[in-house]
Amino acid sequence: MVTPDLDSPATALHAKIDDLLKESPHLAPWRHTVGIAPQLTDAELVTLVMMQAMLGFTSEAKWLCHASCHLRHLFLYLPQQPG
């Protein structure tokens, strides 16, 4: 599988999703005010899921491996299997 440069589309997608969630906060999931803080923002998580779908990865394990190799520099945290 040949992987084109994903930095630009990932960054643009993340920016768009982040803007949409800020404009429509009711779209973001409700979170408890106490407890463990999430390690990914909602925009980061949606970006990862959308990129997985757009790139055609049907296996979550293969996607996480691919993202770890090619997108680690864009995300401070990437979930591990079965995260």
Side-chain angles (χ1 to χ4, degrees):
M1 174 188 229
V2 176
T3 305
D5 177 32
L6 296 176
D7 290 8
S8 297
T11 302
L13 183 61
H14 179 267
K16 182 65 174 176
I17 292 167
D18 193 47
D19 289 345
L20 289 173
L21 288 174
K22 286 177 183 173
E23 290 172 9
S24 305
H26 63 279
L27 296 176
W30 177 82
R31 298 200 186 276
H32 293 281
T33 55
V34 295
I36 299 171
Q39 294 181 314
L40 281 173
T41 66
D42 294 328
E44 289 172 328
L45 184 59
V46 173
T47 299
L48 285 169
V49 171
M50 289 185 68
M51 290 187 67
Q52 177 183 356
M54 290 186 305
L55 293 173
F57 283 88
T58 56
S59 166
E60 187 173 310
K62 288 181 181 178
W63 166 246
L64 290 173
C65 180
H66 180 82
S68 180
C69 292
H70 299 282
L71 300 173
R72 171 75 56 201
H73 62 286
L74 297 176
F75 297 92
L76 295 177
Y77 173 80
L78 287 172
Q80 300 297 310
Q81 194 70 13

